[in-house]
Amino acid sequence: MLDLRILGRLEGAVTGRQVHLGPPKQRLVLMVLVRHAGRAVSTDRLVDALWGDFPPASATANVHLHIHRIRRALGPGRPVNSGRCGYVLEIAPGELDAGRFVTSLPEIRHAVEWGDLTRASRLSREALAEWHGPAYADFADHPMLRDAAEYLAELRLETIEQQIDIDLALHDHVHLVGRLRLLLAEHPYRERFHEQLTLALYRTGRSAEALEQCRSTERMFAEDLGLDLGARLRELRKRILDGDTAL
């Protein structure tokens, strides 16, 4: 059984045993193959990934050597197939942490739609536990990996937002204040986090702090981004001022 992890530093295990995935260039070849799992990646494209516009004379031979070593590391049960179009890594969703994360998201949404919030909370925590750092952390800024890394990062943030919404619906407000402050320190312009923090403060009896959170968010968005406060946060502030008990 293969287990590859790209949500953080690249790691791999075969039948539960950690495997050595080699030096940086070999690891980059494997990450490009993972990024295009199930599709052929040509030797020329792998050469471009490793050396850009200035490949050495031995570039093609080095790519073949990296592929050979990757095959040996992953074992005979997980070959990297080769053909006229290039190299193909066949990998099932359950064998990749990013695959397990992405395939769990519809199940979470389904649990929310059916009102099973306890199960939705558990599933979202299990999904987020797949993350141990930024996606493709070793080479997240590489041109061939950047878009995939950014896409997965956005899915992670959306899942965190959904998980916090679930916890708010389950009236688990107290622990959320500290967590949201930490998230906002990392993502200061994520308006949904500001809205959730405002609501969590209000529900823990800190109405003045909730209103101050709205004011500080409004100032920051205006001064830093030249933007007005979003409609959802404006509506939340109005409901707090009106003493809306439905909150």
Side-chain angles (χ1 to χ4, degrees):
M1 176 65 180
L2 176 66
D3 182 19
L4 281 174
R5 306 188 66 85
I6 57 93
L7 300 180
R9 190 170 185 274
L10 178 66
E11 295 178 351
V14 178
T15 62
R17 184 175 182 179
Q18 202 80 8
V19 295
H20 178 60
L21 297 175
K25 287 192 182 301
Q26 182 175 313
R27 296 165 71 85
L28 177 55
V29 169
L30 178 54
M31 280 194 279
V32 172
L33 292 175
V34 169
R35 164 68 180 86
H36 298 89
R39 292 173 288 163
V41 182
S42 68
T43 300
D44 287 345
R45 194 166 190 192
L46 291 172
V47 168
D48 184 50
L50 293 175
W51 293 284
D53 295 332
F54 304 99
S58 60
T60 297
N62 286 341
V63 166
H64 295 327
L65 180 59
H66 290 317
I67 293 292
H68 169 73
R69 289 174 174 169
I70 289 169
R71 282 174 170 153
R72 189 170 60 187
L74 300 184
R78 182 57 54 187
V80 179
N81 300 315
S82 57
R84 287 191 306 170
C85 296
Y87 297 102
V88 181
L89 174 63
E90 297 290 350
I91 184 168
E95 296 173 330
L96 180 68
D97 56 357
R100 293 191 295 270
F101 170 72
V102 171
T103 56
S104 71
L105 303 185
E107 193 175 0
I108 297 169
R109 288 194 294 270
H110 183 74
V112 171
E113 289 167 0
W114 280 89
D116 192 348
L117 297 184
T118 300
R119 181 168 178 267
S121 179
R122 176 179 58 79
L123 290 173
S124 63
R125 292 179 197 283
E126 290 173 356
L128 291 167
E130 295 286 356
W131 289 76
H132 294 87
Y136 299 99
D138 299 326
F139 297 95
D141 289 330
H142 191 282
M144 289 191 186
L145 301 173
R146 187 183 302 122
D147 288 349
E150 291 175 354
Y151 169 72
L152 288 169
E154 179 61 26
L155 282 184
R156 174 179 175 268
L157 286 173
E158 290 175 359
T159 303
I160 291 172
E161 289 174 344
Q162 184 179 47
Q163 181 194 46
I164 291 172
D165 280 340
I166 293 167
D167 287 348
L168 286 168
L170 291 170
H171 306 290
D172 190 4
H173 313 131
V174 177
H175 87 280
L176 290 177
V177 173
R179 185 185 181 197
L180 282 161
R181 290 197 192 282
L182 290 174
L183 286 167
L184 283 169
E186 188 177 355
H187 307 282
Y189 303 117
R190 194 86 181 179
E191 189 167 0
R192 185 72 180 125
F193 288 152
H194 286 282
E195 179 188 341
Q196 290 170 326
L197 176 56
T198 299
L199 183 57
L201 286 167
Y202 178 74
R203 286 187 174 177
T204 53
R206 298 151 74 175
S207 300
E209 284 185 62
L211 291 171
E212 178 54 35
Q213 176 64 31
C214 284
R215 284 190 290 268
S216 64
T217 302
E218 186 172 32
R219 285 195 302 270
M220 181 181 68
F221 275 49
E223 294 171 3
D224 295 358
L225 305 176
L227 296 175
D228 294 330
L229 206 59
R232 288 171 60 107
L233 199 44
R234 291 199 310 271
E235 176 64 19
L236 177 58
R237 177 173 60 186
K238 181 180 182 299
R239 294 178 68 186
I240 291 173
L241 289 169
D242 291 344
D244 186 345
T245 56
L247 288 176

